[in-house]
Amino acid sequence: MILPARASLETRIKAAGFLLREGWHWLTSLGLLVAGVVLLPFLPLGVGLYPVPRLLQTLNLLGARAQARAAAYTAAVVPFDPRRLDGQHTFGEVAALVSSPETKRDASWLLFHCAFALLAGCLAVGLPLAAVLYVFAAPWWPLFPPQAPLELAFPVTSWLAAAATVLLGVAYGVAGWMLLPWLARRLSSGTLAILSPRRYDELSRRIQDLSAARASALTAHAAELRRIERELHDGAQNRLVGVVMMLGLAQRAAETDPAAAMPFIGRAQDAATEALAGLREAVHDIYPPILDELGLGGAASALTSRSPIPCSLDVHGLLRAPAAVESAAYFVLAEALTNAAKHSDASRIGVVLRTESVPGEDVLVIRVNDDGRGGAAIPPRTASGTGAGTGVATGTGLAGIARRAAAFGGTLRVTSPSGGPTELRVDLPCDF
């Protein structure tokens, strides 16, 4: 009998602690709700382009923490994918963020939390405190002078009133004993029900993401095949045709004058050497052997050392990723450095490679920034779903990076105001 009673008491204490924490966080929820009510009416005027994404990110973070607290109380395992809303956004993107299903879930939880968390926290404190106070304080009413009697639920001036106060305290205790676990279960289950993605919505989102990633992968694969075919046709194939021609001329010359065949043989050897170099370059473009030898950090060091613009490299926190992801990151970095060298007029480039851990997966982050003239942007046809840049210029290099990132379910974001600086960020999920 002792063990069940102890377990029941621990259950009540745990429920009261959970309700107290939610009541404490009610202040933060209320402040965020007030900020949203004040700010959202100004969104059509363009005032909210900068603070609204931060507000939504804060709301998403609070929702993630509330879901973690509810999951810890109920011992549930629930997925939560926090959104990264940093950077600049256009009006259309902000409007899409405000109307997205994730924002609707977060806003619904905020209203739910503001409505019930404070009441639950007050009951978690008030019911046990009132029970203890009424039961133990009422018998001491004779110590109080008649002109200043003990005031609890009502003035206690007699033993009958003291007995009624004690009974009321017992009632408070019973109500707290029965009500607190129920309140904690309702509040935690409501939080999880609101914040946890609906299974249909989650499946729909996954299907859309997989469809988009498959289309991007096919597009990127087709582009790679065309590029390799073009390199082989314009490079190694032409040189091999030259080898065949030189050898044919050497054969004809050898029939009449063997000495005259030697220059043709030498030219054929030179063409064969160039063709071999072209083939090696094409193979290198398919999968750089340096990735196997030195990893992404070493390969990135080789790329930055060859950059015509002074380039710094930070690989602190970089972990090994699947070979396909590292290969994509290598080519993203190579294309970004090439774009900066061709178009930025920069005097310095900074490269950061690191692995960020988010719930459920690791993300390989590639950041390239320069102090050039800016004005870079993703072409409109590829900006959807991959982030959007600011500026006036567009280019096929950024479109290729966007396609390569989308093929792995990743994102590309470019911030490049006119006059600079420019920052490119690519996130590649390692568990694609």
Side-chain angles (χ1 to χ4, degrees), residues 309-310 340-341 343-349 369-373:
I309 301 175
H343 309 295
S344 69
D345 290 337
S347 61
R348 178 194 58 81
I349 300 176
N369 57 78
D370 64 65
D371 59 355
R373 61 187 178 185

Side-chain angles (χ1 to χ4, degrees), residues 91-134:
F91 181 82
E93 289 175 334
V94 173
L97 289 175
V98 171
S99 61
S100 66
E102 293 84 356
T103 300
K104 293 179 181 178
R105 281 199 300 266
D106 293 342
S108 299
W109 165 81
L110 185 66
L111 295 175
F112 170 78
H113 197 260
C114 288
F116 297 106
L118 180 63
L119 175 62
C122 291
L123 289 176
V125 175
L127 290 177
L129 184 61
V132 172
L133 182 63
Y134 283 22

Side-chain angles (χ1 to χ4, degrees), residues 88-373:
Q88 297 181 0
H89 298 265
T90 63
F91 181 82
E93 289 175 334
V94 173
L97 289 175
V98 171
S99 61
S100 66
E102 293 84 356
T103 300
K104 293 179 181 178
R105 281 199 300 266
D106 293 342
S108 299
W109 165 81
L110 185 66
L111 295 175
F112 170 78
H113 197 260
C114 288
F116 297 106
L118 180 63
L119 175 62
C122 291
L123 289 176
V125 175
L127 290 177
L129 184 61
V132 172
L133 182 63
Y134 283 22
V135 169
F136 290 98
W140 298 92
W141 71 271
L143 300 179
F144 291 82
Q147 63 273 18
L150 176 63
E151 294 279 354
L152 292 174
F154 43 81
V156 181
T157 58
S158 65
W159 285 109
L160 182 61
T165 302
V166 170
L167 290 177
L168 184 58
V170 172
Y172 280 142
V174 173
W177 186 266
M178 302 297 296
L179 189 61
L180 293 186
W182 180 85
L183 276 176
R185 288 195 300 270
R186 297 285 75 79
L187 190 59
S188 60
S189 61
T191 298
L192 294 178
I194 294 173
L195 288 176
S196 299
R198 309 296 192 273
R199 183 167 181 80
Y200 176 79
D201 294 340
E202 179 68 14
L203 290 176
S204 298
R205 185 184 67 82
R206 287 182 176 271
I207 290 173
Q208 292 175 358
D209 291 345
L210 289 174
S211 299
R214 179 177 179 271
S216 298
L218 291 175
T219 302
H221 179 65
E224 286 295 309
L225 289 179
R226 288 194 297 270
R227 181 185 60 79
I228 294 172
E229 180 184 7
R230 189 165 54 250
E231 287 184 358
L232 292 176
H233 180 272
D234 297 341
Q237 179 175 323
N238 287 341
R239 295 185 179 96
L240 289 175
V241 170
V243 171
V244 173
M245 292 178 58
M246 291 301 106
L247 290 177
L249 293 175
Q251 182 180 9
R252 293 181 181 180
E255 293 176 354
T256 57
D257 186 4
M262 295 304 297
F264 295 112
I265 295 177
R267 292 169 62 184
Q269 185 178 10
D270 294 338
T273 301
E274 293 177 359
L276 181 60
L279 287 174
R280 286 175 177 171
E281 184 176 353
V283 172
H284 180 274
D285 289 343
I286 297 173
Y287 184 80
I290 192 173
L291 286 175
D292 283 334
E293 299 171 1
L294 301 178
L296 181 58
S301 178
L303 281 176
T304 54
S305 65
R306 295 198 299 266
S307 172
I309 301 175
C311 190
S312 63
L313 175 65
D314 181 5
V315 294
H316 180 71
L318 178 64
L319 305 177
R320 291 307 301 263
V325 176
E326 289 193 343
S327 177
Y330 176 87
F331 289 116
V332 164
L333 179 58
E335 186 66 40
L337 293 177
T338 300
N339 285 346
K342 287 182 178 180
H343 309 295
S344 69
D345 290 337
S347 61
R348 178 194 58 81
I349 300 176
V351 177
V352 177
L353 300 175
R354 68 172 182 271
T355 303
E356 293 184 355
S357 295
V358 299
E361 65 179 0
D362 290 336
V363 177
L364 178 58
V365 178
I366 306 105
R367 291 178 54 193
V368 180
N369 57 78
D370 64 65
D371 59 355
R373 61 187 178 185

